[in-house]
Every structure is written in C-alpha cells, then in structure tokens.
Amino acid sequence: MLHDFATGLLRRMDPERAHRLGMTGLKLGFGPRDDAADPPVLATRLAGIGLPNPVGLAAGFDKNAEAPDALLAMGFGFVECGAVTPRAQAGKPRPRIFRLEEDEAVINRMGFPNQGLPRFRSRLAARRDRPGVVGVNLGANLDSEDRVADYVTCLEALQGLAGFFTVNVSSPNTPGLRTLQASGALDDLLEAVARVGSSVPVFLKVAPDILDEDAVVMVEAVRRHGLHGVIVSNTTITRPASLKSAYMGEGGGLSGPPVFERSTELVRVFRATAGPEMAIIGVGGVDSADTAYAKIRAGADAVQLYTGLVYHGPGLIGRIKAGLVERLQADGFASVSEAVGADLRRDSSAG
C-alpha cells in the first residue's frame, strides 16, 4: 500500500518532523481513504455512542484537532483529539520522542504541546455538523497552579462540540499530574467535572502503573461522580527487561508492544471490578487483529491505537478490522459486544 510505504519513509526522519509532515498531508487531503462500509458485525456501542467499528485513534496524534475528518476517513470508528490545555504551550524541550525500532515501541516526554483551547475550539466548531465520533482529551498546563480548574475550563468551553471527553490524569510527562489518580485528589477532580456536566460520555484515562487494587477505588469514583467509563491505559514509566533499543533509558512514557501485556491485564481487572455495564476502552500495544481482539475478550468495548501506526502504516486499520471479523465469526459471535469480556466469562465458568 502506497501510504504504508510513505510511513516507512517518514520513519527515517526525526519523529516530530515526520509527524508534522504527515499531519500536513492529511490536512491537504493526501491521506488514505477507506470508503467501504464496515461489516455489520463490527458495529458496536460505547457508553451509548454508536460506532461503525471498535477501532479508534488514541489521543496524541492529532493534538490540535487539525484533521479529525481525514483520520476518520482512514477507517477509524472514532478519533480522540488532544490533549488540549487552556493555554497554548510548547511542551518539554526536544528531543522528546524516541523510536525504539527493535521493540516497535516509542518513548515520549512531550508534556502536552498544543496550540491552546481557543484554536482547538474553533476547529471543532467548524466541523460541528459533520458525521463521525470525535472525542477530546482534556489536560492541564505544565505550569498550572490549579489543574482541576484547567480541566473544568476546557470541558466548559467544548460543550456541544465533542462526541466524548476524556479526563487525562495519567500522562507521566506533566510533573505531579498522576497524583490526581489518588483517591482524595481524584474525588475533587471528578466532583468538579460532574458540576460542569456533559451531554456526552466522559471517561477517565488511567495509567498502566497503578496497582490492581487501585481499580476498585477508581471504579467507585467514576460511578460516584457519574462518569461513563475508563480508558485503560496511558503510557508506562516502567521499562520491561525485554527492551532491546539503546533508547530504553530515556525518560518519558513508553508505548507499543512492551505495554500490551500489563494494559490488557488491567482491562481485565477493571472489567471484573466494574461488571458489564461500565464502558472500557483498551489501549496499549494494539498492532494487529490478535492484540485488538485480546483486549476485547479481556473486557474492552472498543480499542485505540497510535504507536502501531508508526510501524505498520494506515493499512493496519483495515487489517485489524478484517481480522476482527474473522475472529468474531470463528468464535460464533454475532457482534463485538458479544465478545466483550469473553475470557472473563470463560474463566468464571471453568472455575
């Protein structure tokens, strides 16, 4: 596929320059298109949102909501833009993205670089009546004195312009941000978010580095404050012994295959804790139909990817969807929703 070949060429460049060129191409209309209707077996619902397929683009790719429609046209079932912060910020000093080629992984310490809320909002307002589910990842400025207020400011300003919102308290690249995952701080944040209210679902994005027992606290907080689900998970600050790249010691969040096992196990933990009703999006190491299906069977209603695109190109989206159809049919499932949490049900019946 031509666009997959182009992805290989871009990977020879500095990561940020390559990404900027890719985004420019998307904005100019040079991105790939998948105009074929998705097979009905892939249609599903996520916290009441109808999706043509369960394969989404994770936040971080389109930080400024510059090309959500071009990304949807590539075949994604939904796209998450951001993270957006109230004020524009440059993020952390470069270099801040490192490709771990031998591991097909990435380490980033971006620090939420973005053009700020006003420009982000104007772009979403310009596409208000267009089809497709576009969510927004909410963040806080690096130098913010009141991070809870940052989330509230963004949520208030973007009402009516997004298909869903994500409260991102799990990035390792904003110092102190992950402390908002602690029970007291999390309650304060989610209470403030709940006061704003939202006509669309709101998710909490968690880190893969939490303990299993932390899932209980988080699920209770999500329910207590009326959120709709969780996104499991963000990048990890751990460095598995399996890493081979010389960049393994760089600071920042690790994404890609090395985080797959832990993030998938955490999906299973959250599903077992929350039961069947809470919406869960599985993220981390999705780079094939097998890894996407594993997250669904572990309890994810939908999945997201980003690093997989870096190494496999946009053709990956169609390959995942085709592989999911094959696996769902082979296992006798008439829909994605029937497969959600199948491994938990199997283990329960075996026990």
Side-chain angles (χ1 to χ4, degrees):
M1 183 180 181
L2 178 61
H3 291 94
D4 289 348
F5 176 73
T7 297
L9 293 178
L10 289 173
R11 239 183 35 244
R12 298 181 181 182
M13 300 180 184
D14 167 78
E16 290 202 54
R17 182 166 180 259
H19 186 76
R20 176 43 50 192
L21 283 174
M23 286 299 300
T24 299
L26 287 170
K27 290 192 291 182
L28 292 175
F30 296 135
R33 293 190 62 87
D34 180 4
D35 294 321
D38 287 320
V41 69
L42 292 181
T44 192
R45 300 192 71 79
L46 176 69
I49 305 170
L51 302 176
N53 71 74
V55 184
L57 177 65
F61 189 97
D62 188 357
K63 296 176 177 61
N64 298 299
E66 295 177 279
D69 294 293
L71 291 162
L72 286 167
M74 290 166 57
F76 284 111
F78 61 108
V79 167
E80 185 175 348
C81 296
V84 61
T85 58
R87 291 174 285 110
Q89 61 181 18
K92 292 194 168 182
R94 301 187 187 192
R96 53 193 182 179
I97 305 178
F98 305 89
R99 299 191 196 101
L100 284 64
E101 296 278 351
E102 300 91 333
D103 308 291
E104 293 195 353
V106 169
I107 290 174
N108 93 83
R109 50 173 180 260
M110 298 290 284
F112 290 165
N114 71 104
Q115 296 169 359
L117 179 58
R119 294 178 72 175
F120 191 99
R121 187 187 187 285
S122 67
R123 292 187 181 116
L124 285 187
R127 72 165 306 276
R128 189 193 299 262
D129 297 321
R130 295 177 191 166
V133 177
V134 176
V136 173
N137 190 285
L138 307 173
N141 282 112
L142 282 164
D143 61 353
S144 176
E145 295 182 0
D146 188 345
R147 287 178 173 156
V148 171
D150 281 8
Y151 289 101
V152 168
T153 296
C154 292
L155 183 59
E156 288 178 335
L158 297 171
Q159 290 294 314
L161 301 178
F164 64 90
F165 292 103
T166 300
V167 179
N168 184 357
V169 295
S170 52
S171 170
N173 300 314
T174 297
L177 189 72
R178 286 190 173 192
T179 61
L180 291 174
Q181 293 181 128
S183 57
L186 184 61
D187 263 321
D188 291 343
L189 171 60
L190 298 189
E191 182 180 356
V193 167
R195 282 199 299 268
V196 176
S198 173
S199 59
V200 297
V202 180
F203 298 96
L204 175 69
K205 188 165 187 174
V206 306
D209 308 315
I210 63 172
L211 301 174
D212 286 1
E213 48 263 39
D214 293 333
V216 176
V217 174
M218 292 180 174
V219 166
E220 289 175 350
V222 165
R223 284 179 171 153
R224 186 161 54 249
H225 298 291
L227 273 69
H228 299 78
V230 291
I231 299 181
V232 185
S233 62
N234 211 315
T235 57
T236 181
I237 59 174
T238 65
R239 297 293 184 265
S242 61
L243 293 179
K244 302 178 180 67
S245 172
Y247 290 121
M248 69 173 75
E250 292 290 343
L254 173 70
S255 61
V259 78
F260 171 76
E261 185 175 345
R262 175 55 185 161
S263 61
T264 305
E265 175 59 28
L266 206 52
V267 167
R268 188 176 291 108
V269 170
F270 268 90
R271 178 57 70 199
T273 302
E277 301 305 319
M278 184 173 290
I280 297 176
I281 300 175
V283 197
V286 175
D287 60 2
S288 66
D290 283 337
T291 51
Y293 193 46
K295 286 194 186 292
I296 290 169
R297 290 188 61 103
D301 298 285
V303 300
Q304 289 178 319
L305 58 90
Y306 179 173
T307 302
L309 286 181
V310 174
Y311 291 98
H312 301 283
L316 175 65
I317 308 162
R319 293 192 293 273
I320 289 177
K321 293 193 293 185
L324 283 177
V325 171
E326 293 174 0
R327 285 154 182 76
L328 289 166
Q329 292 176 341
D331 288 344
F333 296 122
S335 66
V336 172
S337 61
E338 288 185 8
V340 173
D343 287 347
L344 287 172
R345 297 192 297 273
R346 179 198 62 196
D347 293 345
S348 176
S349 61

